[in-house]
Amino acid sequence: QGLKTLADKAYHAAGTGILTPVKKTTGRPPLTLDQQSFSLLHTRLRCLGERAAAMLKTRWAALRHVTLCPKRIGHITQAALVLTHHEHHGRY
């Protein structure tokens, strides 16, 4: 639907709309400054989502083995995120 998705290097040939970091392969020139910057920004954005998913999965056992449709799991994840936020709000 025209949405871009950030993916890791394993998905480098996944198709249109899947953005992956630029790989440095043997026998090719070093990455340009633009390519290095893109890969760095890509990694920094992706790590936020990865960290949030890991935190929610370790905190809430119900999220570890989910077999629901994406729309339903979205509501459950939102509720878990709100509860986690309220739990940690007083600590920081």
Side-chain angles (χ1 to χ4, degrees):
Q1 295 187 11
L3 297 176
K4 304 228 183 252
T5 303
L6 300 177
D8 60 15
K9 289 181 183 179
Y11 296 94
H12 71 278
T16 306
I18 308 295
L19 301 176
T20 59
V22 181
K23 284 185 174 183
K24 165 65 175 100
T25 56
T26 56
R28 298 190 72 190
L31 297 178
T32 66
L33 190 58
D34 286 342
Q35 291 171 326
Q36 290 175 4
S37 298
F38 175 79
S39 291
L40 180 66
L41 290 172
H42 179 278
T43 302
R44 297 285 167 90
L45 284 174
R46 226 175 143 294
C47 78
L48 297 173
E50 293 287 333
R51 182 175 175 212
M55 183 183 72
L56 288 174
K57 284 183 179 181
T58 55
R59 173 66 180 92
W60 300 96
L63 297 176
R64 289 186 195 136
H65 305 287
V66 176
T67 58
L68 297 173
C69 72
K71 187 180 277 189
R72 283 190 157 172
I73 191 58
H75 294 301
I76 293 170
T77 304
Q78 286 174 348
L81 186 60
V82 168
L83 291 172
T84 302
H85 176 72
H86 285 294
E87 179 183 59
H88 292 285
H89 185 65
R91 293 183 189 175
Y92 304 109

